[in-house]
Amino acid sequence: ALVLNKAITSETRVDWVERELKVMFLQAEEAVLAELDPKRQFAALVELFYGTWGFRGDCEAYFDSNNGFIDKVLERRKGVPVSLGALLLYFGRRLDFPLQPVTFPTQLLIQVQWPGESPLYLNPFDGEYVSRHTLHSWLIGHKGPFSNLEPAHLAVSDHPTIIGRWLALLKSALMREERYTLALKCTDLALTFVPDDPYEIRDRGFIYQQLECHQIAMSDYQYFIENCPDDPAADLLKNQMHMLRSAPVTLH
């Protein structure tokens, strides 16, 4: 996550984050060692994280880009599921707890699976466990009333999948804040994972349009139209391209 953040903005305070994490890990280790039972130890970590340290989901400004940069999350004690979940995974795994990330359609979850027991799912946004009934409700809200909760929705995720979701979150936040140069870095990073993704290329075209690089924007829009001709956005982009052709050329 730090490498990702640093690649997007040079202002990421990597050294400060690493020092902060060392201090926090020692506190976490001390809190856990005060208990003997592994489940009580994990409960102590969760209490430390959300209680003593005061981490919480940012309900007031969920789409603030600060929620995606680890140094800002540590400083503000606020984040979103993917950033808070990454921190909880970092401490939990170093303390040998059975934790795995799950990229549920609506957000990142932390799977907690004790030996011989069914998995539990913790919501990193607030530190509470989520029932399968609640997860089904989230899925219905996200995909429609006929959605069913399937094993694939709760499959353990690999790092590229999580990084991809993190990049998408940061890109969306930076675009909302009109910080297009940083948003472009997100897109360029994402395209190193999926070089031919037409939707990522479409987003890059939009960013280039905002930066008044119209020729590059039209090239990206054309790629999307050719590869996704039936997508509703294709017709909109055709109109955009018509407008851009009549726009004055800006030299960069």
Side-chain angles (χ1 to χ4, degrees):
L2 278 174
V3 171
L4 171 68
N5 289 171
K6 186 71 173 179
I8 296 170
T9 172
S10 60
E11 295 178 1
T12 301
R13 296 166 292 167
V14 174
D15 293 339
W16 177 82
V17 170
E18 291 176 342
R19 290 195 301 271
E20 190 76 3
L21 290 176
K22 286 180 180 177
V23 172
M24 294 172 75
F25 175 73
L26 292 175
Q27 295 174 5
E29 198 172 37
E30 183 178 353
V32 165
L33 290 176
E35 301 288 347
L36 297 177
D37 178 72
K39 292 182 181 179
R40 292 177 65 87
Q41 288 179 337
F42 182 63
L45 174 63
V46 173
E47 172 57 31
L48 176 70
F49 192 86
Y50 294 97
T52 306
W53 290 342
F55 283 101
R56 64 189 187 279
D58 192 346
C59 299
E60 298 174 355
Y62 188 95
F63 295 104
D64 189 329
S65 63
N66 286 328
N67 292 323
F69 290 108
I70 286 293
D71 55 341
K72 300 296 185 182
V73 174
L74 285 173
E75 181 181 44
R76 300 163 66 241
R77 294 294 198 261
K78 290 192 289 188
V80 287
V82 70
S83 55
L84 295 174
L87 286 169
L88 194 58
L89 277 170
Y90 171 77
F91 294 117
R93 283 183 164 179
R94 287 195 64 186
L95 293 165
D96 294 325
F97 292 121
L99 309 183
Q100 294 284 2
V102 172
T103 48
F104 193 70
T106 59
Q107 65 163 77
L108 184 79
L109 299 171
I110 304 297
Q111 176 188 284
V112 186
Q113 185 157 23
W114 302 105
E117 298 185 11
S118 298
L120 302 172
Y121 299 96
L122 186 141
N123 180 2
F125 197 71
D126 56 14
E128 299 291 333
Y129 288 99
V130 187
S131 69
R132 295 181 73 89
H133 176 75
T134 299
L135 292 174
H136 188 208
S137 299
W138 288 359
L139 194 63
I140 289 173
H142 181 66
K143 292 191 171 183
F146 301 109
S147 302
N148 291 314
L149 187 62
E150 300 175 0
H153 294 133
L154 296 173
V156 171
S157 301
D158 57 17
H159 283 185
T161 300
I162 297 170
I163 290 297
R165 179 167 290 196
W166 203 323
L167 273 170
L169 180 147
L170 274 170
K171 179 185 67 178
S172 297
L174 291 167
M175 288 171 67
R176 288 168 63 95
E177 295 166 8
E178 299 183 0
R179 300 167 70 185
Y180 295 115
T181 302
L182 294 183
L184 182 60
K185 290 184 178 181
C186 292
T187 296
D188 289 341
L189 283 168
L191 286 169
T192 63
F193 290 98
V194 283
D196 302 319
D197 184 343
Y199 291 91
E200 201 65 56
I201 290 173
R202 176 201 62 187
D203 288 353
R204 185 178 67 182
F206 174 80
I207 295 169
Y208 274 127
Q209 182 180 349
Q210 306 314 305
L211 294 172
E212 298 186 358
C213 300
H214 294 163
Q215 295 300 316
I216 305 176
M218 285 194 292
S219 176
D220 283 349
Y221 287 162
Q222 185 64 41
Y223 181 89
F224 179 83
I225 292 167
E226 291 174 356
N227 285 273
C228 303
D230 297 327
D231 190 288
D235 288 336
L236 295 174
L237 292 183
K238 289 176 184 177
N239 292 331
Q240 284 292 315
M241 290 180 66
H242 179 73
M243 293 173 57
L244 291 175
R245 287 191 183 99
S246 60
V249 175
T250 300
L251 298 178
H252 292 268

